[in-house]
Amino acid sequence: MNRNSPKTHELVLTTMQRRNNKRKKPLMVAKECIERKRDIEFLKKVWISDEIHWGVVTEKPLCKGDFIAEYRGKLCFEEPKESAYKFEFFNKKTKYWIDASEDDGSMARLINDEHIDPNANIKVLHEGFAEPHLCIFAVNDIKAGEEIRYNYGKNVDFFWRKKK
């Protein structure tokens, strides 16, 4: 890649911003997005394929550790029955589900599974909040235009994983 190409320039700027520490801390960005109930502005819903359907890409490069999105929805204490958009997790020894079946415009519900080499992961944030929140963070640098994917969970038997 040419050192003066736009993509190289974007990565250099991102690295410089990280070194100069002028960007907001990822946890601060996450808390702001949770409070506003909004995603970061540069996520984009895209059609991946007829087999996969929709996915999410970033329109700007992300650094390792950056906040990406909150998996928003209804917090449930029992497993939702008719939901294609549910996420099971534990927090402080309590089992919860987030039911994101109601489309509120959130991008996290459209981020696809990648159990072999994900570029994002999900963490539970609860400090400063009455309820836990599921937040997605970059596990490595992500280029502009790259699809965001995280591991939906270990020890699960999704039909699409059998195809690989």
Side-chain angles (χ1 to χ4, degrees), residues 8-132:
T8 302
H9 183 69
E10 286 176 0
L11 289 174
V12 169
L13 282 177
T14 304
T15 304
M16 287 170 52
Q17 287 170 342
R18 188 179 339 170
R19 280 192 203 129
N20 294 334
N21 208 13
K22 290 184 180 180
R23 64 187 189 101
K24 288 184 179 180
K25 303 264 187 234
L27 286 176
M28 287 278 279
V29 175
K31 288 180 179 182
E32 288 173 7
C33 288
I34 289 168
E35 289 167 359
R36 293 181 317 168
K37 295 185 178 167
R38 291 224 162 137
D39 291 328
I40 53 177
E41 292 81 28
F42 43 86
L43 297 179
K44 183 178 177 182
K45 174 182 169 181
V46 295
W47 185 258
I48 304 298
S49 70
D50 288 340
E51 183 179 46
I52 296 172
H53 298 195
W54 295 103
V56 176
V57 299
T58 177
E59 293 183 310
K60 293 184 179 181
L62 296 169
C63 295
K64 179 180 180 177
D66 279 352
F67 170 76
I68 298 172
E70 177 191 7
Y71 194 93
R72 288 194 307 269
K74 181 181 175 187
L75 183 66
C76 303
F77 298 94
E78 294 179 7
E79 184 174 5
K81 299 293 179 220
E82 299 294 322
S83 176
Y85 298 96
K86 61 184 171 186
F87 194 94
E88 176 186 331
F89 68 102
F90 286 88
N91 184 51
K92 297 182 179 180
K93 299 181 181 179
T94 302
K95 190 176 195 176
Y96 297 96
W97 288 265
I98 297 286
D99 179 0
S101 56
E102 186 175 314
D103 187 357
D104 66 353
S106 171
M107 292 291 182
R109 66 194 291 272
L110 301 174
I111 296 174
N112 290 308
D113 177 48
E114 176 54 60
H115 66 289
I116 296 170
D117 191 24
N119 58 10
N121 69 353
I122 206 154
K123 294 181 181 179
V124 180
L125 292 187
H126 48 81
E127 282 186 42
F129 298 103
E131 298 177 338

